[in-house]
Amino acid sequence: MKDELQRKIDLKTKPQGALGKLEQLAQQIGTVQNTLSPELTKPSIVVFAGDHGIAKSGVSAYPQEVTYQMVLNFLNEGAAINVFCKQHDIHLQIVDTGVNFNFKPHEKLIRAKVEKGTKNFLEERAMNIQELENCLSQSEKIVNDLHEGGCNIIGFGEMGIGNTSAATMIMSNLCGLPIESCVGRGTALNDEQFAHKISILKQCELRHGRSADPVEVLQTYGGFEIAHITGAMLAAYENNMLVMVDGFIATAAYLAAVMINPLLQNNAIFCHLSDETGHRQLLKYLGADPILNLNMRLGEGTGCAVAYPLIQSAVNFLNGMASFESASVSSKAS
């Protein structure tokens, strides 16, 4: 199938390779779907939200209550992810994985609360193994339900004050890199706040040591929303869905997921290069080539939503563009 797809791409009315990364995307999507005529159906983005105990140690410029306030903003359709999903006709779902707030029932909110936030990993592990397994099983069901409804391409966003610290520790451990190579300013920390964040994370490393086991690392440092994204990506692969990977937090979750199941990389589409410091290094470690570089660092799945039309373009040119033969256009002289 891969050779047949390449032949179809090369015979379109253009010089070979002239559509650049769109050609690579078309090849990947056709290969995943095992067809010369792939399609994208019912695109969805799921935003997982959860609070982090580490936020109590002053690693973020924003207070923890911003997590629940932003969830309410999502539900009221006031956030960037709402705007972009509406613009590109992407189904959006919000999931409470562990926000320190009691939400009223809402048609757009899935209740998957494990606890009201993880524990502070400066003092103890973020979650126990039962809580981690709860995250993985609940996210699997969410993705399975979307797949059964016809979705074959999905992206994941997140909201959780303190989650760049969690992602930093996941990356540092699983990539075997020093904290300084992974940590960023997150919510625009000033120099003093940034130095404090690094100091706290180094203390966490001293407490827990280092590990290359993705399950142990998620349990030690992960947020409930990060663990949910990990499980959701694994479930999406099992359903042979295309997986749109967002920025730093989502890529840290992907790192854990792909270490659990390396075949996930076949279905992964890296949507953008985040402006968060560690993301470039993490993508390099993964050998990933993202579609966009817009200096974004918002999270929420916004990179997936903005990149989606380009993914559509890759499928559309493959299905709709004429070949040299069908258009009676002379091809390159041999």
Side-chain angles (χ1 to χ4, degrees), residues 69-119:
Q69 291 166 353
M70 280 302 300
V71 171
L72 294 174
N73 192 25
F74 297 148
L75 298 177
N76 291 325
E77 301 187 1
I81 190 60
N82 300 97
V83 173
F84 297 147
C85 283
K86 184 176 181 180
Q87 178 184 359
H88 301 307
D89 197 24
I90 300 170
H91 173 71
L92 177 63
Q93 190 72 63
I94 313 301
V95 182
D96 172 15
T97 72
V99 181
N100 188 21
F101 187 79
N102 294 320
F103 295 103
K104 294 179 181 178
H106 194 287
E107 61 180 0
K108 294 181 181 177
L109 181 67
I110 294 176
R111 293 170 175 265
K113 194 189 295 286
V114 179
E115 288 288 346
K116 289 188 174 181
T118 56
K119 297 178 179 65

Side-chain angles (χ1 to χ4, degrees), residues 46 48-52 95-99 110-118 126-143 156 215 218-219 222-235:
V46 183
F48 296 97
D51 275 310
H52 292 251
V95 182
D96 172 15
T97 72
V99 181
I110 294 176
R111 293 170 175 265
K113 194 189 295 286
V114 179
E115 288 288 346
K116 289 188 174 181
T118 56
M127 65 187 84
N128 60 43
I129 191 64
Q130 291 77 22
E131 290 168 337
L132 175 57
E133 290 173 350
N134 190 353
C135 291
L136 299 178
S137 62
Q138 289 195 89
S139 59
E140 180 182 18
K141 183 181 186 307
I142 290 166
V143 171
F156 304 105
V215 173
L218 281 174
Q219 188 183 335
F224 293 137
E225 85 283 26
I226 294 174
H228 266 78
I229 294 174
T230 299
M233 288 180 171
L234 291 168

